[in-house]
């Protein structure tokens, strides 16, 4: 079970304002000014209280005018290819500001990864977010870490570089 949430009332207010903006646009799509006001207020509260918003919420708000970005209503959404990667480009119809998001089906946000979830690490000490997945996998398996790949593999407490690979990636 998770511990007490800091600023629960503020998070509830942010959620209410976000939902109110959605409801206003769902009931009356012409009333974009009121929805923009709700989103702008939600953004200012989050800044003032230094609260982190969910990436899915941040992606649906325009960074320029604080409009709620709904494809076909308040923004256009296009799929683009650039240098072998697929991108989703959202352009706000109010201020013409565009946002690009990598559209990779294998990509996971940090919050969606298993190592980011504290509940999935039952019985283990929580890992700090600054270490990478390769190091956290080694810490879970209690494998010694080779710090210098050019060092000889026979040194005590060291393994050759082929053991430094992440267990879920293929070479």
């Amino acid at each position: 079970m998770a511990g007490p949430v800091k600023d629960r009332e503020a998070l509830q207010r942010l959620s209410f304002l976000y939902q109110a903006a959605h409801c206003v646009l769902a009931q009356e799509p012409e009333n974009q000014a009121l929805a923009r006001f709700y989103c702008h207020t939600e953004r200012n509260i989050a800044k003032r209280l230094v609260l982190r918003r969910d990436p899915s919420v941040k992606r649906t708000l325009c960074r320029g005018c604080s409009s709620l970005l709904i494809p076909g209503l308040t923004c256009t959404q296009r799929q683009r290819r650039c240098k072998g990667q697929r991108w989703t480009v959202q352009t706000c119809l109010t201020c013409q500001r565009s946002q690009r998001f990598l559209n990779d089906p294998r990509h996971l946000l940090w919050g969606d990864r298993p190592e980011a979830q504290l509940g999935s690490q039952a019985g283990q000490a929580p890992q700090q977010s600054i270490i990478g997945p390769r190091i956290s996998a080694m810490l879970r398996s209690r494998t010694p870490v080779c710090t210098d790949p050019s060092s000889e593999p026979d040194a005590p407490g060291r393994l050759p570089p082929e053991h430094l690979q992440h267990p879920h990636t293929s070479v």
Side-chain angles (χ1 to χ4, degrees):
M1 181 109 187
V5 177
K6 179 186 161 193
D7 295 328
R8 180 178 298 271
E9 293 85 17
L11 291 173
Q12 288 175 348
R13 185 173 180 196
L14 294 179
S15 176
F16 173 78
L17 289 169
Y18 184 73
Q19 291 174 18
H22 267 285
C23 289
V24 164
L25 285 179
Q27 290 176 357
E28 201 168 330
E30 302 87 38
N31 202 356
Q32 293 181 13
L34 182 60
R36 192 176 312 118
F37 171 75
Y38 288 153
C39 292
H40 184 71
T41 306
E42 186 255 346
R43 180 178 170 186
N44 285 340
I45 292 170
K47 274 187 183 178
R48 186 183 66 215
L49 297 176
V50 193
L51 296 174
R52 294 184 61 117
R53 295 182 295 171
D54 191 59
S56 63
V57 172
K58 289 194 289 188
R59 286 182 173 203
T60 58
L61 297 176
C62 178
R63 294 177 189 214
C65 65
S66 298
S67 290
L68 189 62
L69 298 176
I70 298 175
L73 183 61
T74 59
C75 76
T76 59
Q77 193 170 24
R78 301 280 187 252
Q79 304 294 321
R80 300 281 186 236
R81 286 188 184 266
C82 181
K83 298 179 184 175
Q85 295 180 329
R86 296 184 309 185
W87 295 87
T88 300
V89 180
Q90 283 185 338
T91 304
C92 178
L93 294 176
T94 306
C95 67
Q96 303 302 315
R97 185 176 177 127
S98 62
Q99 297 179 13
R100 292 185 339 156
F101 304 109
L102 185 61
N103 190 6
D104 185 8
R106 299 168 296 175
H107 178 72
L108 285 175
L109 295 174
W110 170 253
D112 297 336
R113 292 182 183 174
E115 61 264 15
Q117 306 299 323
L118 292 178
S120 66
Q121 298 176 352
Q124 294 181 358
Q127 302 288 334
Q128 293 184 1
S129 62
I130 56 173
I131 61 174
R134 180 181 293 171
I135 296 173
S136 63
M138 285 186 210
L139 291 175
R140 283 196 298 271
S141 66
R142 303 287 184 219
T143 305
V145 179
C146 177
T147 56
D148 184 11
S150 64
S151 66
E152 64 275 7
D154 296 334
R158 297 189 185 252
L159 294 175
E162 61 266 13
H163 292 286
L164 293 176
Q165 306 255 332
H166 191 272
H168 300 294
T169 58
S170 60
V171 179

